[in-house]
Amino acid sequence: MSFLTDAARAPWRSEPAPCNDAESLEALVAANPSRRTVLRNGLLGLSALTVPSLAGLSTSRASGRAAGTASGDYAITFKSVPISRENRVSVPEGYRVDILFSAGDVVEPGVAPFASAFADPQTTAKWAGGCHDGMEMFPLPGVDANQRALLAVNHEFPDWSVLMAEKFDPKTASDSQRALALSAVGVSIIEIARGENGDWAIQPESPYNRRYSGSTLYRPSGPAAARLSDEVVGTLNNCSSGRTPWGTYLTCEEATVNYFDPSRPREDYGWVVEIDPMGTLAPPTKRTAMGRFEHENTAYLANADNRVAFYMGDDSRPGCIYKFVPNKPFDADDRAANRDLLDDGTLYVARFAADGTGEWRALVHGQNGLTASASDPGNVTQFETPPPAETVSFVDQADVVINCKSAARVAGGTMMDRPEWVTIAPDGKAIFVSLTNNAGRRVADAANPRVANLHGQILKFREADDSPLATRFRWELLVVAGEEPVTPGHTTKGDAFSSPDGMRIDPQGRLWVQTDHTITGASGTPDKAMVDVFGNNAMFHVDPVTGEARRFLVGPMGCEITGIAHTPDLTTFFVNIQHPKKDWPEAGKAPRSSTIVIHREDGRPFGA
């Protein structure tokens, strides 16, 4: 979750504020200056090449670079890059960074891209939106996906620098300003291809290039469909994402209210939205059976019988971890047969026990306390003295999925420290969840071992019999992030980091973790001390067994690193740079969120 999102949705937030200024890392560091030495060990003697952005040195494209194919050597051998506070992207020696896709670039033809002048909403509706976040790569039929494919990119929040000069205020915004804001969120589908010199580029005339925005119409489906608008206007705060086994894109809404246009019904937002990147299966659809909350991403686990479970995190302080199991298996041979598979199934919430076991509790009307006179304990982890419980009414399954956060608490789900990305090992034997932070926590438990948790942790669990249908699992903490070991046996190994967020395990079982250590205090300003201690946000390889971290990439000033996609041969990765603070990626011009392409110059697999 971008701190921009957090600030924008704050007036409508029901959970406690993240922290106050006295609890910020800046205040803690000021009281204990020795903490600034956290990253001193292990950085001396490291050899790395800082790859400049357009705001640094030249990023002229290398000519004649071979596209390369995977050699089969996937060992992690790159040398860790140092922390950086500079306005550029740093990667290891031998790697190259190119800018592929920036806010204001043209997606749908017929308009000019952003240059320096602001445009009208009819133009910006065809541009790339802002704050690039989750993304997925999809093959085209009969085409080598290492050379050409579709890329679906989420846009969490507007890049105001390319939209308007004035500050946006939803209470006083004009219709045009509101339309501009809504045009810059949602999803871009773009066709990309690799040229003869190995460089990737958008194919501007592709019939697949489309924008889905905060003004596009979406079809509601599932148990709460009748409680939503007949046609929902807009998708909002599209944070991270996922995919289905039948090749559709799942974009996840991280806000349960349309704060750009508060006249819209609240129940229309906070859902998983299914989009067919090919544009042929079904119109974009809000799948209400998967629950309404501040969605981060989805990840799926399937078995040999084509039964599948989709795992999700609620990026709230606190939030729960969920999974949704469709009632029927998916059809691997007929995409059309899966058109409405996500409308019928069972939604579960995870409960973590102190002994390392866990269970999935069904969020089904009439079960686990979900009745017309239910008792919601509230966000008890955020208070030293629990608040009084509230009586809530669940009269049908529509109530359960619309008020999913309350239903999860009633059913006994464990309230976690901002569960964000979920990713699943290729063999299905491990599921990882990034728990970013929760400075407002006042009551600790085994899975969330710190009060005033500034740095977060990575949780790892395994389903019973490795089955997506399991109702039991075992869990452990892979990493307790930050600057000091506060839980016995859980010490950050290798390069220290804070606030794990974006996360993906690749087909070779290598875990990649991205950070978002920008915590806002009561004033709503970024916590400068996080950068003082940890540098700019970064991307790490984290050993999925030992938890040892190695810093691969450091982003420019003020950014969040998010989104991971890759070619099938793992020679090229796509990563998003969200809300850069200064003139990145182009010196002297407005900052723009961008998708970058990273590859080795010698064509070997990523990570070598």
Side-chain angles (χ1 to χ4, degrees), residues 343-407:
D343 286 344
D344 298 293
T346 303
L347 183 64
Y348 297 89
V349 66
R351 181 178 177 87
F352 295 85
D355 64 358
T357 63
E359 63 176 303
W360 292 104
R361 294 194 171 180
L363 300 182
V364 175
H365 178 247
Q367 299 181 25
N368 294 315
L370 300 176
T371 65
S373 56
S375 179
D376 181 353
N379 291 329
V380 295
T381 63
Q382 309 301 98
F383 301 91
E384 294 178 0
T385 301
E390 295 185 1
T391 300
V392 292
S393 180
F394 299 99
V395 299
D396 54 21
Q397 190 61 19
D399 278 342
V400 172
V401 296
I402 288 174
N403 302 310
C404 189
K405 296 158 72 76
S406 176

Side-chain angles (χ1 to χ4, degrees), residues 9 33 61 124 127-128 147 195 203 231 334 396 436 471 518 534:
R9 73 185 193 185
R61 299 177 183 270
T124 62
W127 285 355
Q147 303 297 325
Q203 304 305 291
E231 287 185 310
D334 182 5
D396 54 21
T436 299
T471 57
T518 306
F534 295 99

Side-chain angles (χ1 to χ4, degrees), residues 370-454:
L370 300 176
T371 65
S373 56
S375 179
D376 181 353
N379 291 329
V380 295
T381 63
Q382 309 301 98
F383 301 91
E384 294 178 0
T385 301
E390 295 185 1
T391 300
V392 292
S393 180
F394 299 99
V395 299
D396 54 21
Q397 190 61 19
D399 278 342
V400 172
V401 296
I402 288 174
N403 302 310
C404 189
K405 296 158 72 76
S406 176
R409 294 190 294 262
V410 170
T414 301
M415 287 174 276
M416 312 290 285
D417 289 342
R418 284 186 63 196
E420 298 215 39
W421 287 50
V422 184
T423 189
I424 301 175
D427 61 5
K429 297 182 184 298
I431 300 171
F432 302 85
V433 184
S434 58
L435 302 169
T436 299
N437 51 50
N438 182 1
R441 177 175 282 274
R442 294 295 175 264
V443 180
D445 57 45
N448 305 275
R450 291 183 283 199
V451 297
N453 182 6
L454 292 169

